[in-house]
Amino acid sequence: MIRVSEEVRKALKEGKAVVALESTIISHGMPYPKNVETALKVEEEVRKHGAIPATIGIIDGVGVVGMSNEEIEEFGKRKGVIKTSRRDLPVIYARKLWGATTVATTMMLAKEAGIEVFVTGGIGGVHRGAPETFDISADLQELANTDVTVVCAGAKAILDLKLTLEYLETYGVTVLGYQTKELADFYTAHSGLNLEYEIENPLDGAKIIKAKRENHLKGGILIANPIPEEFAMDKEVIDNCIDSAIKEMDKLGIHGKESTPYLLAKICELTGGESLESNIRLVLNNAKIGSQIAVEYAKLK
């Protein structure tokens, strides 16, 4: 149920750095053609820093690790691509459907292919109001159980970041701040939530990954890489937009896996497109740092 591109297969066989990329950001994160343009720019950024990109998606029920430019284009234009988490996979596979991989399923397929480093925008987490709704992303359990390192700008800002961090701690996920001891807050660099550990540079991060794998310590590593200050949004402005979007979502009765795409689109509307530009910038920055870490890790192996 998995097809690895020749370029990715060859790079892995030769011990070169490979970076996994998700496809939900293409089909559910941004409008066409911005989604395709961004996906290709992220791949370019990975190559620019010495690694091979492997964009992951599900096409006709087959997990594809290393989608072609044509497949990425189709993902961006195609209607009805299903946002696919772990629970959806049996149906997507059996019915030979198209699926956009979330953080959880991208981690699963990356692990199956033998890829250590995965770059994304932000992970899912504990939703606001979760003590009543139990709305918690499957991404967190995947981080607890799947041996892949995720480089991101923290959890999406629409979530309850404090509870997300508590959840990760409870399940033993190693969380590292890239050149910071504060959890990145997606659209802004500062959440006010302290982290135990900071990594100084890509080699420092690669050594920690190697130590975890050599000692057979199960589960993922989360590297929270803050958005560069010049691209960050005003915290008060974005927080007000998020609060407004959540209230609107609750009125409409939107919940579950449809909530994140709705909120991101609504916040983009409320910010006049500024949040989308920040989102693109932080993903590109994550691609840079993630690729540098992957290159250092490949050298250590």
Side-chain angles (χ1 to χ4, degrees):
M1 307 303 284
I2 183 172
R3 167 166 61 84
V4 182
S5 75
E6 185 57 35
E7 181 186 30
V8 172
R9 188 188 303 277
K10 185 171 184 288
L12 290 169
K13 186 177 180 180
E14 294 174 356
K16 294 179 179 177
V18 178
V19 171
L21 303 167
E22 62 159 291
S23 49
T24 292
I25 197 171
I26 305 172
S27 61
H28 292 77
M30 299 176 189
Y32 181 82
K34 183 71 84 173
N35 52 1
V36 173
E37 291 169 5
T38 301
L40 296 178
K41 278 183 184 176
V42 173
E43 287 206 345
E44 286 173 19
E45 191 71 13
V46 170
R47 292 186 190 281
K48 180 179 168 183
H49 291 92
I52 301 298
T55 299
I56 296 176
I58 302 170
I59 297 176
D60 295 330
V62 176
V64 178
V65 180
M67 289 165 57
S68 68
N69 288 2
E70 292 75 22
E71 288 167 336
I72 290 172
E73 176 75 22
E74 182 63 25
F75 250 84
K77 294 190 298 187
R78 192 182 185 94
K79 303 297 182 185
V81 177
I82 298 167
K83 184 179 176 184
T84 304
S85 192
R86 176 181 276 271
R87 69 173 186 176
D88 307 293
L89 281 173
V91 179
I92 304 300
Y93 285 157
R95 294 180 177 172
K96 302 189 183 308
L97 302 174
W98 283 56
T101 56
T102 61
V103 168
T105 42
T106 305
M107 288 182 72
M108 292 173 66
L109 291 171
K111 167 63 177 170
E112 194 172 343
I115 301 171
E116 173 64 48
V117 178
F118 161 40
V119 163
T120 186
I123 62 165
V126 179
H127 283 256
R128 301 183 190 196
E132 287 76 41
T133 65
F134 288 90
D135 192 351
I136 301 171
S137 171
D139 295 353
L140 300 186
Q141 277 296 312
E142 214 59 52
L143 274 160
N145 293 293
T146 301
D147 299 349
V148 170
T149 297
V150 180
V151 179
C152 64
K156 294 182 177 73
I158 57 177
L159 305 169
D160 188 318
L161 298 185
K162 184 177 180 183
L163 290 184
T164 298
L165 201 53
E166 289 286 354
Y167 193 104
L168 290 167
E169 181 183 346
T170 297
Y171 283 91
V173 178
T174 302
V175 181
L176 308 170
Y178 187 79
Q179 297 181 348
T180 181
K181 290 193 76 171
E182 187 176 357
L183 180 67
D185 191 14
F186 201 69
Y187 297 116
T188 69
H190 307 290
S191 65
L193 298 171
N194 293 328
L195 299 176
E196 291 280 342
Y197 303 107
E198 172 183 2
I199 55 175
E200 297 176 359
N201 51 51
L203 178 57
D204 190 20
K207 286 179 178 177
I208 293 171
I209 297 169
K210 185 171 186 282
K212 180 156 187 168
R213 301 301 171 228
E214 282 185 343
N215 288 282
H216 308 290
L217 299 170
K218 187 176 174 61
I221 294 174
L222 184 68
I223 298 177
N225 177 40
I227 183 172
E229 289 287 359
E230 62 266 33
F231 303 123
M233 296 193 65
D234 180 276
K235 185 161 177 59
E236 185 176 352
V237 170
I238 191 63
D239 284 349
N240 286 337
C241 289
I242 290 169
D243 289 343
S244 177
I246 289 173
K247 286 176 185 175
E248 185 70 20
M249 180 186 73
D250 290 342
K251 278 184 188 176
L252 295 171
I254 297 168
H255 56 84
K257 66 180 182 180
E258 301 306 322
S259 60
T260 297
Y262 171 82
L263 287 172
L264 292 177
K266 187 66 179 179
I267 292 163
C268 180
E269 177 190 321
L270 292 171
T271 60
E274 190 179 347
S275 65
L276 178 57
E277 289 307 310
S278 288
N279 195 344
I280 292 168
R281 291 293 185 172
L282 68 84
V283 173
L284 289 170
N285 187 49
N286 293 339
K288 171 187 172 182
I289 301 304
S291 300
Q292 290 172 341
I293 291 170
V295 167
E296 293 298 337
Y297 181 66
K299 291 176 186 175
L300 292 176
K301 288 173 70 182

